[in-house]
Amino acid sequence: SGAVAFDDDLDGNLDIDPEEITEVETARQKIKQLMHEQERAADYEDRLTRKLQRLDADLASKREQVEGLQRSLNLERNKFAEEYRSEKRERETKAKTQEERIREYLTEVLYTKPKQKEKRSEFHLDTVLVSFVKPNESFRYNLAFRVDSGTTVAQLRNSACKYWGVSSEHF
């Protein structure tokens, strides 16, 4: 029955001043109570430490997950941006190639004389180079025109002025 009383006494009053303890048994009880309280505090501290470690591990796991998702998001964003740049480069290259091809064909058409037919008819086609210098500039613009025997100088002048957007009265 002393053990049962002791267990009950472990939860007893811990606020007793040690100076007031006069009996040995009371002092022993006080020591056991303090040791029990110390053990409970250490146990509680251990549980809190383990809980903190679990929470730290969970936080680290969540951080890794978030960082992985951010990397995936950045990769997707960069993927679309890179695809757009690639398509843009491809379109620009295709447009440049087409423009070069068109220039080659136009140059070929403008600067080659048509084959003369066996019959010598009056139809004669030739290429004329017309130069244009804007007022107060020194840069010369050249434009090739195809003319035949029916083209007049006035028609050629009007066509060239219309092309450059100037009045034919001044030229």
Side-chain angles (χ1 to χ4, degrees), residues 14-23 26-27 30:
L14 294 176
D15 296 331
I16 299 174
D17 186 17
E19 300 286 328
E20 295 177 11
I21 300 175
T22 56
E23 295 178 18
T26 307
K30 178 71 173 176

Side-chain angles (χ1 to χ4, degrees), residues 20-160:
E20 295 177 11
I21 300 175
T22 56
E23 295 178 18
V24 173
E25 189 59 34
T26 307
R28 281 188 187 143
Q29 241 180 345
K30 178 71 173 176
I31 291 171
K32 288 181 180 180
Q33 283 177 339
L34 290 172
M35 287 174 55
H36 179 69
E37 188 61 32
Q38 185 180 19
E39 188 178 304
R40 280 182 34 202
D43 184 45
Y44 184 67
E45 183 182 355
D46 285 345
R47 282 186 279 138
L48 287 176
T49 303
R50 286 193 304 271
K51 186 175 182 179
L52 180 61
Q53 288 171 346
R54 280 193 311 273
L55 289 174
D56 281 343
D58 288 345
L59 179 61
S61 171
K62 296 289 184 188
R63 268 196 191 129
E64 287 179 16
Q65 188 178 13
V66 167
E67 288 172 358
L69 290 173
Q70 285 177 333
R71 282 191 299 273
S72 296
L73 180 62
N74 286 336
L75 285 174
E76 286 297 316
R77 284 181 181 162
N78 290 339
K79 175 182 162 185
F80 290 125
E82 186 59 35
E83 285 177 4
Y84 175 77
R85 284 192 294 271
S86 176
E87 289 174 4
K88 185 177 178 183
R89 274 193 309 268
E90 190 175 312
R91 283 191 306 269
E92 288 172 354
T93 303
K94 188 181 280 188
K96 186 176 179 181
T97 304
Q98 286 177 341
E99 188 176 316
E100 288 173 0
R101 208 173 326 130
I102 289 170
R103 286 186 188 279
E104 288 174 11
Y105 289 143
L106 286 176
T107 302
E108 185 178 316
V109 168
L110 287 174
Y111 294 114
T112 56
K113 291 186 180 184
K115 296 178 183 176
Q116 295 292 330
K117 295 183 181 178
E118 305 251 342
K119 301 178 193 173
R120 278 300 210 177
S121 64
E122 288 190 27
F123 182 78
H124 181 70
L125 185 65
D126 210 346
T127 305
V128 176
L129 184 64
V130 178
S131 295
F132 173 66
V133 179
K134 288 184 179 180
N136 301 326
E137 285 189 21
S138 61
F139 189 74
R140 179 182 299 269
Y141 298 92
N142 293 323
L143 182 64
F145 276 94
R146 292 209 115 171
V147 295
D148 60 16
S149 58
T151 306
T152 65
V153 173
Q155 288 173 332
L156 180 61
R157 183 184 67 180
N158 287 338
S159 294

